[in-house]
Amino acid sequence: QVQMIESGGGLVQAGDSLRLSCAASGRTVNTYGVGWFRQAPGKEREFVASFTWSGLTYYADFVKGRFTISGDNAKKTVFLQMNNLKLEDTAVYSCAAKFDPYIGRYDYFGRGTQVTVSS
């Protein structure tokens, strides 16, 4: 089993930055990478960005140019640097582990960290 713990959320103003962290523990040797997701009130969870332990990254269109995902393979930690935050970025951000490079499936979601962007 894999445990995912997110941190770094908070209350910021529009235009500010935040850096989220996702620490994976447990049987991480079988993981291929980590994905960040977010869920706003009343909306479904949506994909934000992903990082593979080999260094590949992928972003949702709505965060390209503003968010940067990176990771530390040795520590099995993935970061999400969020710049120029907008009101619509308000959501609970969670991370999850990816086990198969050919299947777009993520498992073992963490409890999430709240990001609130105010005007």
Side-chain angles (χ1 to χ4, degrees):
Q1 207 169 16
V2 176
Q3 295 79 41
M4 313 295 283
I5 299 178
E6 305 91 343
S7 61
L11 172 62
V12 296
Q13 292 187 322
D16 285 351
S17 299
L18 272 177
R19 188 189 194 214
L20 306 183
S21 297
C22 169
S25 61
R27 299 182 66 83
T28 59
V29 66
N30 296 324
T31 61
Y32 178 70
V34 170
W36 277 102
F37 297 77
R38 70 185 189 184
Q39 186 167 19
K43 295 187 177 181
E44 293 192 354
R45 183 169 57 199
E46 60 182 353
F47 171 82
V48 176
S50 64
F51 177 87
T52 71
W53 301 126
S54 62
L56 297 177
T57 60
Y58 187 75
Y59 297 91
D61 286 342
F62 58 80
V63 301
K64 286 181 179 178
R66 298 191 299 124
F67 292 9
T68 302
I69 192 169
S70 60
D72 184 330
N73 192 353
K75 296 181 179 180
K76 288 297 186 277
T77 300
V78 174
F79 307 98
L80 185 67
Q81 177 68 41
M82 306 186 296
N83 298 328
N84 189 23
L85 283 163
K86 303 177 180 180
L87 298 179
E88 53 264 38
D89 293 321
T90 294
V92 175
Y93 286 71
S94 58
C95 60
K98 186 175 178 64
F99 291 83
D100 191 321
Y102 303 108
I103 299 176
R105 171 177 168 173
Y106 292 82
D107 294 305
Y108 300 111
F109 281 83
R111 299 180 68 175
T113 184
Q114 176 70 48
V115 172
T116 303
V117 184
S118 64
S119 58

